């Protein structure tokens, strides 16, 4: 078992990493340890950042919040809720996926994994909502990027590198996030009993309008039993389009969509505000895969290729959900089906996509590639960036790619 060190300050983190750098000792970095995402790694030391938690400052009128890295996302959202504000990237609560119950994890964990919810295609990824960060690189140096002002700047935004780096570049200590006022109203237009091909056509048409949908997902038939909503028909497939904003505007835009898709009016319905919010929370939190023992995979493709991809594998046993207006597909497969896993990877690459294994047992995490990208140059670039931040490769070595 590795030695676990839980520092109480940024300087303690710096001293620990500097000493490990001098000794060429690899370190596994964890926050609240709620998301076992990434390749399974074994290090002689573990840096647990759970004591670096708490809100440093929150200025609602300036639309930002500054927190220590291990601060609970739940705590942040509760504080924002008091001022009727939210995180626009709609962070996922993956506690349902891993353990069957709510556990939002830490802000630093979400940033490290660049976890973004169903609003991603409209509001951007989590990395687009980071104003700045502070952390410690692989040499033990305290580094800082960005600030607390929402503005455009020239130069390279290092914050975007840190998001989705899975702790391989820095040990995050502080993070500044943009916040926004909550939408007054949320309504969801539902179309039942159509196939994925028609659903993707609906997404494409809706995205070409000025309606500004903020959610678009497809659930195939026999995949909806986990929903507990009175106004939801769970006996057939569901295609869902979300509209958010001022209530008057939302009602008008929903009516526009109804007219646009008038051919489906017999199977069309609308989830009003309360149930609409629950529907998208359930979707973002992946409650369809609640506490599953399967391997759960995230596949991102050009939406025009999603139908072709699913058609290669669809059968009565395939468990999947399509989100982000067709760009994102979540798939669950048996944990010992390595043949299917590699077939999915090969098909995703052939269709200009990339694949991430979000949940898997340890024997899969240690054997299979965690990230699969269509361009091998990304690995080369990742290595160069890693060497810049962490020349001795001691921070979460091999977490993203073997040897990096």
């Amino acid at each position: 078992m590795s030695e676990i060190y839980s520092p109480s300050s940024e300087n303690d983190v710096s001293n620990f990493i500097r000493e490990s750098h001098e000794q060429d000792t690899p370190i596994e970095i964890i926050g609240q340890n709620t998301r076992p995402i990434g390749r399974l790694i074994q290090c002689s030391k573990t840096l647990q950042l759970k004591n670096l938690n708490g809100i440093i400052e929150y200025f609602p009128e300036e639309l930002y919040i500054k927190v220590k890295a291990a601060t609970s996302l739940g705590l942040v959202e509760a504080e924002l809720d008091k001022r009727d504000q939210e995180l626009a990237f709609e962070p996922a609560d993956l506690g349902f996926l891993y353990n069957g119950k709510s556990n939002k994890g830490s802000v630093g964990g979400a940033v490290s994994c660049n976890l973004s919810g169903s609003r991603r295609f409209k509001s951007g990824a989590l990395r687009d909502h980071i104003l700045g960060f502070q952390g410690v690189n692989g040499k033990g140096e305290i580094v800082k990027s960005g600030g607390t002002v929402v503005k455009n700047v020239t130069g390279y935004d290092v914050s975007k590198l840190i998001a989705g780096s899975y702790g391989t570049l820095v040990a995050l200590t502080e993070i500044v996030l943009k916040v926004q006022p909550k939408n007054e109203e949320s309504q969801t237009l539902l179309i039942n009993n159509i196939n994925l091909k028609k659903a993707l056509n609906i997404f494409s048409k809706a995205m070409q309008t000025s309606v500004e949908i903020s959610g678009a997902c497809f659930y195939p038939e026999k995949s909806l039993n986990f929903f507990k909503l009175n106004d939801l028909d769970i006996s057939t497939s569901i295609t869902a389009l979300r509209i958010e904003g001022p209530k008057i505007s939302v009602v008008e835009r929903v009516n526009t969509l109804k007219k646009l898709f008038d051919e489906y009016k017999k199977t069309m319905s609308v989830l009003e505000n309360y149930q609409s919010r629950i529907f998208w929370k359930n979707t973002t939190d992946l409650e369809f895969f609640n506490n599953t023992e399967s391997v759960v995979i995230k596949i991102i493709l050009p939406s025009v290729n999603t139908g072709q991809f699913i058609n290669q594998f669809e059968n009565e046993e395939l468990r999947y959900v399509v989100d982000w207006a067709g760009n994102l597909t979540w798939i669950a497969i048996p944990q010992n089906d390595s043949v299917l896993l590699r077939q999915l990877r090969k098909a995703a690459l052939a269709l200009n996509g990339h694949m991430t294994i979000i949940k898997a047992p340890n024997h899969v995490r240690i054997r299979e590639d965690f990230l699969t990208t269509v361009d091998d140059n990304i690995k080369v670039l990742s290595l160069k960036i890693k060497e810049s931040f962490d020349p001795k490769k001691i921070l979460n070595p091999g977490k993203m790619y073997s040897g990096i």
Side-chain angles (χ1 to χ4, degrees), residues 52 59 68 154 157 206 282 284 299 331 394:
L52 301 183
F59 289 98
K68 295 182 180 180
T154 58
D157 188 350
N282 292 163
T284 288
I299 296 175
I331 295 180
I394 65 169

Side-chain angles (χ1 to χ4, degrees), residues 167-181:
T168 62
L169 301 181
V170 300
L172 287 167
T173 55
E174 296 180 6
I175 299 162
V176 185
L177 293 171
K178 289 189 283 187
V179 302
Q180 73 169 23

Side-chain angles (χ1 to χ4, degrees), residues 129-368:
H129 297 263
I130 303 175
L131 291 174
F133 77 89
Q134 201 156 299
V136 180
N137 67 16
K139 293 181 283 187
E141 299 169 338
I142 295 174
V143 296
K144 180 180 180 181
S145 176
T148 57
V149 180
V150 181
K151 63 179 181 180
N152 293 320
V153 295
T154 58
Y156 201 85
D157 188 350
V158 180
S159 300
K160 286 182 167 55
L161 279 178
I162 300 304
S165 64
Y166 298 90
T168 62
L169 301 181
V170 300
L172 287 167
T173 55
E174 296 180 6
I175 299 162
V176 185
L177 293 171
K178 289 189 283 187
V179 302
Q180 73 169 23
K182 279 188 175 181
N183 288 292
E184 176 189 344
E185 182 78 2
S186 171
Q187 292 189 17
T188 300
L189 181 70
L190 304 174
I191 299 175
N192 285 86
N193 201 27
I194 62 173
N195 59 28
L196 176 59
K197 181 179 180 180
K198 290 181 178 179
L200 292 170
N201 286 334
I202 286 172
F203 296 158
S204 178
K205 288 181 181 178
M207 292 285 284
Q208 293 175 42
T209 70
S210 59
V211 169
E212 292 190 2
I213 59 173
S214 64
C217 70
F218 172 80
Y219 283 91
E221 190 176 354
K222 300 178 182 178
S223 65
L224 297 146
N225 291 334
F226 70 96
F227 278 118
K228 308 297 180 185
L229 298 172
N230 294 334
D231 296 334
L232 195 68
D233 180 359
I234 61 174
S235 64
T236 68
S237 68
I238 284 181
T239 300
L241 299 173
R242 176 174 59 182
I243 307 295
E244 295 177 298
K247 186 168 184 178
I248 294 176
S249 170
V250 168
V251 171
E252 290 179 352
R253 287 183 285 151
V254 168
N255 287 333
T256 298
L257 288 179
K258 285 181 178 179
K259 294 175 183 176
L260 180 63
F261 302 117
D262 181 68
E263 62 190 289
Y264 300 110
K265 63 182 178 182
K266 291 183 179 180
T267 60
M268 188 182 291
S269 60
V270 176
L271 288 180
E272 299 296 336
N273 187 45
Y274 178 73
Q275 293 194 58
S276 175
R277 293 181 189 276
I278 293 175
F279 177 92
W280 289 100
K281 183 182 184 304
N282 292 163
T283 298
T284 288
D285 292 348
L286 300 183
E287 291 197 42
F288 172 46
F289 300 116
N290 187 54
N291 204 25
T292 181
E293 295 183 359
S294 301
V295 173
V296 177
I297 302 163
K298 175 182 180 181
I299 296 175
I300 298 178
L301 294 162
S303 58
V304 294
N305 294 339
T306 298
Q308 181 182 346
F309 175 83
I310 292 296
N311 287 340
Q312 294 181 52
F313 302 98
E314 187 165 19
N315 55 54
E316 292 183 358
E317 303 301 320
L318 186 70
R319 300 181 64 218
Y320 74 94
V321 175
V322 175
D323 203 352
W324 295 2
N327 287 123
L328 169 63
T329 303
W330 295 103
I331 295 180
I333 65 173
Q335 60 177 251
N336 293 317
D337 197 340
S338 58
V339 173
L340 178 57
L341 180 62
R342 289 163 190 171
Q343 288 175 339
L344 289 167
R345 179 182 291 117
K346 182 178 180 181
L349 289 174
L351 293 171
N352 297 313
H354 62 270
M355 185 175 97
T356 306
I357 298 177
I358 295 295
K359 180 182 180 180
N362 286 345
H363 73 269
V364 175
R365 293 177 63 207
I366 201 169
R367 184 183 68 233
E368 299 289 347

